Amino acid sequence: MISNEAKKEIDFWVSKYPEGRKSSAVMQALTIVQKENGGSLNPDLINEVADYLEMPVISVQEVATFYENYNHKPVGKHVVRFCHNISCMLNGSDELISYLEDKLEVKTGQVSKDGLVSVKKVECLGACVGGPMCQIGDQYYEHLTKEKLDNILEDLT
Amino acid sequence: MSEIEIEIDGHLVKASQGDSIISIADREGIDVPRFCYHKKLSVAANCRMCLVDIEGVPKAQPACSTPAANGMKINTKNDKAKFAQKAVMEFLLINHPLDCPICDQGGECELQDVAMEYGSDVSKFNLGKRIVPDKGIGALIQTDMTRCIHCTRCVRFGAEVAGIVEMGGTGRGEGVKIEPFLTEGIQSELSGNMIDVCPVGALTSKPFRYEARTWQMNAVQSVARHDLVGSNIYTQSYRGKVKRVVARDNDSINETWISDRDRFSYEGLNHESRALKPKIKVDGEWQETDWQQALQFAVDGIKNNAINPDQLGVLASKHASLEEFYLMQKLARKFGSENIDFRLDQTQLSTGSSLESSINLSEIESVDHALIIGSYTRLEQPMINHRIRKATLDGASVNTMNSKNFDFNFKTKCDALTAPQKLLSALQSVLKAVHLKTNQDTPNDVSDVTPSEIHNIIADDLIASANGVIVLGEHLNSNPNSLAIINLIEKIASATNLKIANITISGNSHSAEKVNFIPSGNGLNAISMFNDNTKAFLLMDVDSEYDFIDSKSAQGHFSKEDVFVVALSSFENQSTLRSADVILPMASFYESSGTHINFDGLVQSYSASVKSPGESKPGWKIIKVMADLLDLQGLDYVDSTQVKEEALQSSKVKSSVDEANIQSIDDSQVTTHWQYAPYASDSVTRRAKALQESNVGMINRAYVSKMTAHKIGLSDDDLYLGVPVSIEESVAVDCVFIHTNQARRA
Ligand code: SF4
Ligand code: FES
Ligand code: FES
């Protein structure tokens, strides 16, 4: 269920677009709803967003599956969003992702046993100069190495 | 639009400014490969297969999305164009499976054809191919989404033509999947067209799956007969059985589309209840016999029971052919009986033909307003509804006066929920409003009516419309005051200068009216025929359980000891087995030649696509022989063309609607409106398995509003006349709207 507070927030974004263009706010709506639901979406929520914005539900699903910032399975408290696009890949992102998977004993898309961290491969985050890189919360971490990763993970609580 | 001249593959051609290169090439017969382009859909330009070279432009350009400009020199076949096309082909084949031998599309696949010409025999890509799990989209369409090339034709068809946004492209990059959000199946009466538009084997016909290869089948041009449109189709048959029906282009009728009913109903032809041998009932027991005996038995029965000629009744379903209607009425009239009718499902019958439509199919899409009275056009006449939808896309408004708010695939502006018993007074109120607003004299019958607010709105829209239409639909047939209602509608139309689209009748009813398949003089009609005097009946394709408005009295009458019933029928219905005395097995749809007259009055003839099974024979031949045995003169035709020519000479009896005498009804009583769902329309469709299993086919609900439910003591999921109840506010008060495939019980 989308809470009334979330609906208010969505309304704020809807009001930024011309009359009758509610659907323009779909990305913000999904973001708000995902946040409220602990970081992930599910079919019920997608249906509700569609109803609320008067859109066909498949159109909401298209948006929700196109962008990597929406999760369709429950996530950990922190999500390590690891770039696996070309610049990062050439700089060794594959190896670092495997390292992370081994260390946390998870596969990408899964949540660590303690529920603290999950790992997700994402498309280019526009920080190619700093590759390999990842994003956790609102923070970018660049020029990653195994050591750096160890330290970052240690700091996550 | 201004005219331009371009050069394409060395030919100078004229075109209009703004025409896409591909449409010009198509017109000139120049072949440009394509997947996503479809002439009836918006341009997506996402497959890139149609790349062509334009002189002076550094890179090849997509022909489907590039408008031609004056003086353009286009080359579709030079090295640059071919190189680009081959490169795109290579990309498209990266993930496409090589399963043509087990793919139903094999042999009619656009990808296969184009790959033959542009594909390379080796691929640079030796990585694994992706596999896409199937969600399944219902009983009619088989999905194999691994084969999908993401052209989005099906998505655009849904959104633009069918008016349902159910399919979409989810995911991104290599992970894109074309799928619906839900797995409940596509909810559309036009869904089968997705099969036709899909260029590959991702969407194929489910009932046709693995039945035959396209090149083994025999395609025959034919005409669909389930509705008033007469959509153009090809029947495709293999070893004497119709295996598939696909659309045939005809812009003024069905464009490129056909309804699911027209596409999938053929399955009913192979139903196990087909009547294959003549049968007679002796001492209450059915016996198989040969044609000669059966016919003699039939003729003797008629002679012995109809001692006076006017004791014979002749009834046919609205789906018979022009030729059959003509011969049946001629037989009856030569025999001396005027008891002839095809209007089995109407409560009130006029002495003339039904109200004439004053608009053409193709004109419907350019109206500026439509008022729909008594119809769920979307399911009842899908192709006419499609034209109305097109009009709405161009800005037309639609108002409705129905006993339930239906799920139209366009937005309606104002829905005046009206229970059947209140429709007459509602229309009087609309007429009065029109008269007041246009300062016209008010006739006596509406002088003391005060128009309600909603009827004022409806009247305003009618008056404001410059080029509108009033659509009257088949729900009126069961109205006890249908004639008076149709009268009123005609008056409203003439007072507001609107056109009329009469879709109260369906199937091949226009043929029946053309040859006067209705009683004249003292003849009895489909209601009055069931009296003690009528002792012998000749029925064509009639299932008395389903087809009559009052099936109880029809069945009761047929079952009487002293009533002799000859049934020409393609199926051994339960009702026929119970009440007939002879069953003469008749050819069904696509099994005999015939003629259909459509909404526009267009006469379309078709030949037989397959031979009829067992010993069944074309209806017109059976009647001809019966006429012979009855010693009636003038029915010795050599072929059906001769019958047709003579039939077309007849002229129909004009409608004479003034005769309506108004039945007074207590309009506070709850009425039941029994409306057949679209796949209960005729004996063949009722037996088409996949259609019956589809979402539309499973419609079976009695809708009632909360207040009314309370009044008559119903709650959700109760059974009302055997149909599960849904309590919804979308139903007029004091009305139970039953929408079902089940035989009529009210
Ligand atoms: S299913 Fe067919 S029509 Fe739909 S996108 Fe895929 S290839 Fe195109
Ligand atoms: S490729 Fe990794 S941030 Fe751009
Ligand atoms: S047909 Fe032109 S891009 Fe697909």
Side-chain angles (χ1 to χ4, degrees):
Chain A
M1 278 289 284
I2 308 178
S3 71
N4 286 338
E5 290 77 65
K7 282 185 181 159
K8 263 193 209 120
E9 249 186 285
I10 297 174
D11 290 342
F12 166 77
W13 288 100
V14 169
S15 72
K16 289 187 170 286
Y17 298 100
E19 193 73 36
R21 301 275 176 81
K22 276 188 174 181
S23 58
S24 303
V26 65
M27 289 193 65
Q28 287 93 344
L30 286 170
T31 309
I32 292 163
V33 170
Q34 169 166 289
K35 196 163 160 207
E36 186 179 63
N37 190 46
S40 66
L41 294 164
N42 57 44
D44 287 342
L45 287 174
I46 288 179
N47 252 321
E48 279 184 56
V49 170
D51 281 348
Y52 196 68
L53 298 178
E54 292 165 23
M55 292 172 72
V57 59
I58 183 69
S59 309
V60 180
Q61 176 78 350
E62 283 177 329
V63 174
T65 54
F66 183 87
Y67 295 101
E68 302 284 2
N69 38 343
Y70 303 116
N71 303 310
H72 296 269
K73 277 189 209 147
V75 291
K77 189 172 167 202
H78 306 282
V79 185
V80 182
R81 294 157 46 80
F82 223 109
C83 171
H84 72 142
N85 272 177
I86 186 126
S87 310
C88 293
M89 186 184 83
L90 292 174
N91 283 302
S93 61
D94 281 356
E95 199 186 328
L96 287 178
I97 292 171
S98 317
Y99 176 73
L100 205 58
E101 287 177 336
D102 290 347
K103 189 175 160 89
L104 296 168
E105 294 175 358
V106 294
K107 287 261 167 263
T108 43
Q110 294 175 342
V111 190
S112 63
K113 274 201 200 82
D114 55 5
L116 196 61
V117 196
S118 54
V119 185
K120 186 172 187 184
K121 285 188 200 169
V122 299
E123 313 301 331
C124 177
L125 288 168
C128 315
V129 276
M133 64 82 65
C134 74
Q135 179 190 16
I136 304 172
D138 294 333
Q139 191 74 39
Y140 275 17
Y141 299 88
E142 303 183 352
H143 303 293
L144 292 174
T145 58
K146 288 180 186 168
E147 293 70 45
K148 271 195 180 173
L149 271 180
D150 287 341
N151 291 334
I152 295 168
L153 288 181
E154 220 130 274
D155 291 346
L156 295 179
T157 51
Chain B
M1 256 183 267
S2 59
E3 199 169 82
I4 54 169
E5 196 175 61
I6 63 165
E7 191 187 311
I8 178 161
D9 286 356
H11 307 283
L12 280 179
V13 302
K14 297 225 183 308
S16 306
Q17 184 89 43
D19 281 359
S20 66
I21 295 175
I22 208 166
S23 67
I24 300 170
D26 282 352
R27 208 167 58 218
E28 296 299 317
I30 294 168
D31 187 35
V32 178
R34 87 283 310 269
F35 296 113
C36 67
Y37 174 77
H38 188 285
K39 62 179 185 224
K40 291 280 178 187
L41 302 175
S42 66
V43 171
N46 57 20
C47 76
R48 316 310 276 186
M49 192 62 221
C50 64
L51 293 175
V52 294
D53 179 32
I54 302 171
E55 207 176 277
V57 181
K59 285 193 174 169
Q61 298 294 312
C64 66
S65 64
T66 311
N70 204 13
M72 229 179 212
K73 282 194 178 146
I74 298 153
N75 214 314
T76 70
K77 305 226 160 26
N78 66 3
D79 286 350
K80 194 164 135 194
K82 283 261 164 181
F83 177 79
Q85 290 159 353
K86 284 189 170 161
V88 170
M89 190 74 242
E90 194 171 357
F91 273 119
L92 281 170
L93 291 179
I94 293 175
N95 275 318
H96 193 80
L98 295 174
D99 63 349
C100 307
I102 55 151
C103 174
D104 260 350
Q105 190 87 353
E108 55 178 2
C109 175
E110 293 176 46
L111 187 70
Q112 202 177 33
D113 294 346
V114 176
M116 285 299 288
E117 198 166 339
Y118 300 89
S120 150
D121 44 6
V122 279
S123 172
K124 293 187 205 90
F125 297 89
N126 52 7
L127 306 163
K129 285 179 185 265
R130 73 182 205 138
I131 287 176
V132 181
D134 282 301
K135 269 195 172 174
I137 55 173
L140 301 175
I141 304 177
Q142 176 66 43
T143 52
D144 282 281
M145 296 321 274
T146 302
R147 298 180 187 140
C148 171
I149 56 168
H150 311 135
C151 71
T152 69
R153 275 188 191 174
C154 58
V155 178
R156 281 174 286 145
F157 171 81
E160 293 163 18
V161 181
I164 44 152
V165 189
E166 283 190 10
M167 298 286 271
T170 64
R172 68 192 281 169
E174 206 197 29
V176 167
K177 281 189 265 176
I178 300 290
E179 59 180 8
F181 182 70
L182 301 166
T183 47
E184 287 161 9
I186 296 283
Q187 307 266 2
S188 169
E189 67 293 349
L190 298 174
S191 66
N193 293 298
M194 288 188 186
I195 299 168
D196 283 356
V197 298
C198 181
V200 296
L203 306 177
T204 52
S205 163
K206 209 167 202 171
F208 173 67
R209 192 162 216 221
Y210 301 144
E211 286 288 317
R213 284 307 203 172
T214 65
W215 59 85
Q216 298 170 314
M217 293 192 292
N218 182 20
V220 179
Q221 300 193 353
S222 193
V223 177
R225 269 156 275 169
H226 299 289
D227 55 32
L228 268 188
V229 176
S231 291
N232 288 192
I233 54 173
Y234 285 108
T235 59
Q236 299 177 320
S237 58
Y238 177 57
R239 298 202 173 146
K241 294 245 183 284
V242 177
K243 290 288 178 191
R244 190 168 63 170
V245 167
V246 294
R248 178 158 60 91
D249 285 12
N250 188 333
D251 243 5
S252 63
I253 301 177
N254 54 306
E255 302 178 41
T256 338
W257 319 119
I258 56 174
S259 64
D260 285 359
R261 184 166 51 187
D262 290 342
R263 184 183 301 271
F264 294 108
S265 60
Y266 72 89
E267 262 198 304
L269 298 179
N270 304 326
H271 194 266
E272 71 234 11
S273 64
R274 273 308 291 260
L276 299 172
K277 280 199 159 171
K279 278 187 180 172
I280 54 176
K281 203 189 248 168
V282 184
D283 301 330
E285 293 288 326
W286 280 108
Q287 296 180 357
E288 283 185 1
T289 174
D290 57 20
W291 268 102
Q292 208 186 346
Q293 272 207 22
L295 284 165
Q296 198 56 54
F297 187 85
V299 166
D300 291 347
I302 291 177
K303 281 186 184 156
N304 293 339
N305 278 267
I307 310 214
N308 286 324
D310 70 350
Q311 291 182 302
L312 173 69
V314 173
L315 297 167
S317 85
K318 54 179 172 278
H319 298 281
S321 67
L322 172 79
E323 292 80 350
E324 288 162 350
F325 283 128
Y326 181 71
L327 289 178
M328 290 266 281
Q329 63 81 33
K330 191 164 179 184
L331 178 146
R333 292 191 160 121
K334 291 262 163 181
F335 186 82
S337 170
E338 276 292 340
N339 311 335
I340 305 163
D341 218 334
F342 72 101
R343 303 162 300 177
L344 313 182
D345 57 354
Q346 301 182 20
T347 320
Q348 270 198 318
L349 294 169
S350 67
T351 52
S353 53
S354 60
L355 181 63
E356 199 106 14
S357 295
S358 50
I359 190 166
N360 273 347
L361 274 177
S362 50
E363 286 165 358
I364 296 178
E365 67 185 59
S366 38
V367 299
D368 61 358
H369 177 69
L371 170 62
I372 299 175
I373 305 173
S375 182
Y376 187 3
T377 46
R378 178 173 176 191
L379 296 189
E380 285 150 19
Q381 298 286 339
M383 294 317 298
I384 292 179
N385 184 72
H386 167 61
R387 301 270 182 180
I388 301 175
R389 178 164 188 276
K390 278 171 102 178
T392 65
L393 294 180
D394 282 342
S397 57
V398 178
N399 294 339
T400 67
M401 294 178 81
N402 278 328
S403 38
K404 180 178 184 301
N405 284 339
F406 299 111
D407 183 20
F408 288 103
N409 52 2
F410 42 76
K411 273 217 169 69
T412 54
K413 187 176 154 216
C414 160
D415 299 302
L417 271 181
T418 315
Q421 70 273 30
K422 290 175 190 148
L423 187 56
L424 184 73
S425 55
L427 286 166
Q428 285 172 338
S429 160
V430 173
L431 181 64
K432 179 73 182 280
V434 168
H435 282 148
L436 289 177
K437 285 168 199 286
T438 54
N439 300 319
Q440 296 181 40
D441 286 341
T442 335
N444 290 339
D445 51 336
V446 292
S447 53
D448 50 355
V449 178
T450 326
S452 70
E453 192 185 334
I454 195 155
H455 297 142
N456 269 315
I457 300 176
I458 288 179
D460 279 335
D461 286 337
L462 291 173
I463 295 164
S465 159
N467 168 31
V469 63
I470 301 184
V471 180
L472 49 155
E474 61 185 64
H475 301 188
L476 300 185
N477 290 340
S478 57
N479 199 298
N481 274 318
S482 59
L483 292 181
I485 286 173
I486 291 170
N487 258 340
L488 266 176
I489 294 175
E490 209 186 358
K491 282 185 193 146
I492 296 173
S494 77
T496 52
N497 235 332
L498 255 68
K499 297 252 170 72
I500 284 197
N502 180 1
I503 51 172
T504 56
I505 50 172
S506 188
N508 200 10
S509 299
H510 283 300
S511 286
E513 292 190 337
K514 172 81 188 164
V515 301
N516 277 310
F517 203 86
I518 50 175
S520 51
N522 289 330
L524 302 174
N525 63 28
I527 297 166
S528 52
M529 235 180 255
F530 300 117
N531 68 7
D532 285 340
N533 188 41
T534 329
K535 297 282 192 222
F537 281 90
L538 186 56
L539 308 180
M540 175 175 279
D541 187 26
V542 171
D543 184 342
S544 52
E545 205 183 343
Y546 276 89
D547 295 344
F548 290 98
I549 187 86
D550 182 359
S551 49
K552 242 204 209 131
S553 54
Q555 292 194 67
H557 191 78
F558 290 147
S559 309
K560 283 184 190 151
E561 273 302 318
D562 59 343
V563 172
F564 187 79
V565 178
V566 180
L568 277 70
S569 176
S570 307
F571 298 96
E572 292 184 356
N573 309 312
Q574 284 311 314
S575 63
T576 310
L577 288 173
R578 269 198 304 272
S579 55
D581 297 277
V582 194
I583 297 178
L584 302 175
M586 190 178 79
S588 187
F589 287 16
Y590 317 131
E591 293 169 356
S592 84
S593 58
T595 301
H596 180 271
I597 301 181
N598 84 347
F599 181 81
D600 291 351
L602 186 78
V603 177
Q604 300 189 95
S605 295
Y606 44 83
S607 51
S609 303
V610 290
K611 235 178 81 30
S612 59
E615 291 176 28
S616 59
K617 292 202 187 322
W620 71 272
K621 282 192 183 161
I622 304 176
I623 303 163
K624 203 184 77 140
V625 180
M626 283 186 73
D628 251 4
L629 293 173
L630 284 164
D631 298 323
L632 306 175
Q633 307 299 312
L635 282 100
D636 39 4
Y637 302 91
V638 236
D639 58 16
S640 64
T641 330
Q642 212 184 355
V643 184
K644 173 187 154 193
E645 267 152 28
E646 199 178 298
L648 289 174
Q649 302 301 319
S650 0
S651 51
K652 65 176 172 188
V653 184
K654 279 271 168 278
S655 59
S656 49
V657 268
D658 284 337
E659 60 201 295
N661 54 337
I662 295 174
Q663 310 278 319
S664 62
I665 350 176
D666 171 9
D667 69 4
S668 62
Q669 282 230 327
V670 176
T671 47
T672 303
H673 184 162
W674 192 286
Q675 182 59 43
Y676 280 131
Y679 304 155
S681 61
D682 55 86
S683 55
V684 179
T685 308
R686 285 195 288 267
R687 290 175 173 80
K689 188 162 167 280
L691 270 185
Q692 295 303 332
E693 288 167 357
S694 71
N695 283 317
V696 177
M698 289 190 298
I699 293 173
N700 183 34
R701 281 269 150 196
Y703 300 96
V704 60
S705 73
K706 214 169 174 180
M707 240 171 72
T708 315
H710 192 74
K711 195 162 166 181
I712 53 175
L714 285 177
S715 41
D716 258 323
D717 292 325
D718 277 1
L719 289 185
Y720 181 76
L721 298 173
V723 181
V725 169
S726 266
I727 297 186
E728 283 183 21
E729 283 323 296
S730 64
V731 199
V733 278
D734 290 341
C735 169
V736 185
F737 184 88
I738 299 184
H739 206 199
T740 182
N741 269 358
Q742 298 190 30
R744 193 189 288 280
R745 280 187 286 269

